[in-house]
């Protein structure tokens, strides 16, 4: 493994391999801003910038070609006839580019948006030794769709939202809590 990393570092240079990986936690339904630092004052203009989630391209931007497009799951709502009222706002991904940042805004966040996001910058002049890849880990969270609480002595009775007791000092009681969401079941 060390040999592979050394080979990659030798071939690609310090511009690609970076130890810093930003981490963002976002709640389903909210908005998230993924930032990609660009440095046009020092590194010059760039030909294109691409955002990926894991291995899927999410957004492509090229100022030279005057092209800016969300792709893949960021465009799924545009293909859903029930979402036609969104019109041009059907995309869930929007890019904002300045001389120092290329920020990808995703809204609304879906639980399935979780993953490793990668921004790749293709500068016109590659001799400036500028970073060309930036990573961000996005973790998504959501409230459970179902919650049930019970006393172990009566597991079939849901006591969620109820007052339980009173119990004498020193007595013991065992509770069980179960919650579920779309991506499986969580038990506590």
């Amino acid at each position: 493994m060390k040999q592979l990393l050394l080979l990659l570092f030798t071939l690609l240079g310090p511009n690609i391999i970076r130890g810093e990986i930003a981490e963002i936690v976002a709640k389903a339904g909210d908005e998230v801003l993924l930032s990609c630092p660009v440095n046009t004052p020092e590194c010059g203009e760039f030909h294109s910038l691409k955002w990926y989630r894991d291995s899927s391209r999410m957004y492509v931007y090229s100022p030279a070609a005057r092209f800016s497009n969300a792709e893949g799951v960021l465009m799924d709502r545009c293909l859903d006839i029930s979402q036609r009222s969104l019109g041009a706002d059907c995309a869930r991904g929007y890019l904002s580019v300045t001389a120092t940042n290329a920020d990808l805004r995703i809204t609304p966040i879906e639980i399935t948006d979780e993953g490793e996001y990668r921004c790749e910058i293709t500068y016109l002049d590659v001799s400036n030794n500028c970073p060309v890849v930036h990573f961000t880990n996005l973790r998504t969270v959501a409230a459970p769709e179902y919650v049930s609480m019970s006393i172990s002595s009566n597991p079939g009775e849901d006591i969620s939202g109820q007052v339980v007791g009173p119990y004498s000092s020193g007595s013991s009681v065992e509770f069980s809590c179960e919650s579920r969401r779309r991506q499986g079941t969580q038990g506590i």
Side-chain angles (χ1 to χ4, degrees):
M1 181 68 172
K2 287 181 185 178
Q3 293 168 334
L4 177 62
L5 287 174
L6 182 59
L7 177 64
L8 282 172
F9 189 75
T10 304
L11 293 174
L12 301 174
N15 324 0
I16 300 270
I17 299 176
R18 300 184 67 194
E20 303 169 22
I21 298 179
E23 179 153 319
I24 296 174
V25 177
K27 185 176 142 192
D30 285 353
E31 176 178 300
V32 70
L33 191 68
L34 304 175
S35 191
C36 179
V38 295
N39 191 347
T40 54
E42 287 184 31
C43 300
E45 297 298 316
F46 54 90
H47 172 271
S48 62
L49 184 138
K50 299 172 195 112
W51 274 99
Y52 294 85
R53 184 187 75 215
D54 301 322
S55 62
S56 299
R57 192 165 73 181
M58 307 293 284
Y59 206 100
V60 62
Y61 169 73
S62 176
R66 294 187 177 135
F67 185 78
S68 184
N69 254 11
E71 296 181 350
V73 297
L74 296 182
M75 293 297 291
D76 284 352
R77 291 190 317 180
C78 300
L79 305 174
D80 182 351
I81 193 80
S82 70
Q83 301 291 319
R84 69 178 174 260
S85 64
L86 295 172
D89 294 327
C90 64
R92 291 190 310 116
Y94 307 90
L95 194 69
S96 173
V97 181
T98 67
T100 57
N101 277 322
D103 297 330
L104 179 63
R105 179 172 51 105
I106 302 173
T107 185
I109 284 292
E110 295 176 358
I111 198 79
T112 56
D113 288 329
E114 183 167 291
E116 180 182 75
Y117 285 77
R118 179 177 78 248
C119 172
E120 294 182 358
I121 309 159
T122 305
Y123 288 101
L124 294 173
D125 181 5
V126 294
S127 64
N128 290 338
N129 219 15
C130 295
V132 294
V133 178
H134 179 76
F135 294 93
T136 303
N137 283 327
L138 176 63
R139 190 164 46 103
T140 56
V141 294
E145 293 175 351
Y146 165 80
V147 176
S148 174
M149 234 178 132
S150 61
I151 298 176
S152 296
S153 61
N154 192 2
E157 181 184 352
D158 184 4
I159 59 167
S160 302
Q162 296 180 26
V163 176
V164 179
Y167 289 97
S168 302
S169 178
S171 63
S172 114
V173 64
E174 218 175 288
F175 293 91
S176 177
C177 179
E178 181 183 347
S179 66
R180 291 189 190 125
R181 62 185 176 118
R182 275 179 241 127
Q183 283 189 330
T185 301
Q186 301 292 323
I188 300 175

